[in-house]
Amino acid sequence: MLAPQTPHGLVGAIAPDLIRGPLPKDLHPLVRLSAMEHQRIDRFTDTHAAFDRTRRQLAQAVEPRLAAVVADVLYDHLLASNWSSYRPDAFNVFVASCHDTLQEHAHLMPDDMQAVVRKMIDERWLTSYATAAGLHDRLTQMSARLTLRFDRAVNLCPPIHIIEALARDCADDFCVFWPDLLSFVATQRSQAPADRLAS
């Protein structure tokens, strides 16, 4: 939702989450700028007091050092499940537009990112964030990927009734965090050159 509304902006906004390691040097300059903005947003999020409260609460239900990962996904769920409070367009319309843009501009992505994006679209990851059941599925899938990556059992996914309770308990923190994040992004963009994230 925060991605610049351009193909380069959207690709760059998801790149840091889908590319392992440093950003490739041959990324399109505008994709790189959007990816760097995403990384600044991540740093802002990690240091925000409301997000930290959510992280500490989640650390009681999941492995503490991975609680920030779950908190980030939980905030995506809180945004998606309350979409009409934040945007006038329907969530499924927004997701379909994102999918179309990503498919049409796959050439802007490294090969490994293209493969993940195809999987993301086929498995409807974005849509899944809107429900507790979908969030449970996403966390289960993430647990499986991290188990393979770390070569040890990783479980990011509490039982669904606990997910639902955590979403209710953390909603107030998200309501504090979200306007602060919007303000941060607006300030960052106002201080950047006018063409910085143009397509």
Side-chain angles (χ1 to χ4, degrees), residues 146-167:
L146 291 175
T147 293
L148 289 173
R149 183 185 303 181
F150 297 154
D151 195 28
R152 66 174 180 84
V154 174
N155 184 13
L156 299 174
C157 194
I160 193 165
H161 70 280
I162 294 180
I163 290 177
E164 291 171 336
L166 288 168

Side-chain angles (χ1 to χ4, degrees), residues 2 41-42 44-54 72 75 170-184:
L2 292 173
I41 288 171
D42 282 347
F44 173 84
T45 299
D46 289 342
T47 58
H48 194 282
F51 183 84
D52 186 59
R53 283 194 299 272
T54 296
D72 191 53
Y75 274 20
C170 297
D172 288 345
D173 283 339
F174 179 77
C175 288
V176 171
F177 165 79
W178 185 250
D180 288 351
L181 178 59
L182 293 179
S183 177
F184 171 78

Side-chain angles (χ1 to χ4, degrees), residues 19-180:
I19 297 175
R20 286 193 190 181
L23 297 172
K25 294 181 179 179
D26 60 350
L27 274 183
H28 188 287
L30 294 175
V31 173
R32 176 176 292 278
L33 285 172
S34 182
M36 291 170 65
E37 178 182 77
H38 176 117
Q39 292 171 331
R40 288 192 296 275
I41 288 171
D42 282 347
R43 290 192 291 271
F44 173 84
T45 299
D46 289 342
T47 58
H48 194 282
F51 183 84
D52 186 59
R53 283 194 299 272
T54 296
R55 180 193 60 75
R56 285 186 279 108
Q57 185 164 355
L58 288 170
Q60 301 173 37
V62 301
E63 189 174 332
R65 66 176 177 169
L66 295 174
V69 176
V70 181
D72 191 53
V73 177
L74 180 64
Y75 274 20
D76 287 338
H77 166 66
L78 290 169
L79 177 61
S81 61
N82 296 285
W83 189 257
S84 61
S85 298
Y86 302 104
R87 283 183 61 124
D89 53 341
F91 183 59
N92 63 335
V93 172
F94 170 81
V95 170
S97 176
C98 288
H99 286 176
D100 289 345
T101 299
L102 292 171
Q103 288 176 314
E104 291 169 11
H105 296 86
H107 62 280
L108 295 172
M109 310 171 194
D111 290 345
D112 57 344
M113 181 178 170
Q114 289 184 34
V116 180
V117 168
R118 284 194 297 270
K119 187 177 180 67
M120 179 184 80
I121 293 172
D122 290 345
E123 297 181 359
R124 303 188 64 79
W125 292 2
L126 296 179
T127 305
S128 70
Y129 286 115
T131 66
L135 179 61
H136 185 275
D137 290 344
R138 288 292 306 119
L139 290 171
T140 299
Q141 292 166 350
M142 291 172 67
S143 297
R145 289 203 308 275
L146 291 175
T147 293
L148 289 173
R149 183 185 303 181
F150 297 154
D151 195 28
R152 66 174 180 84
V154 174
N155 184 13
L156 299 174
C157 194
I160 193 165
H161 70 280
I162 294 180
I163 290 177
E164 291 171 336
L166 288 168
R168 290 192 299 270
D169 292 345
C170 297
D172 288 345
D173 283 339
F174 179 77
C175 288
V176 171
F177 165 79
W178 185 250
D180 288 351

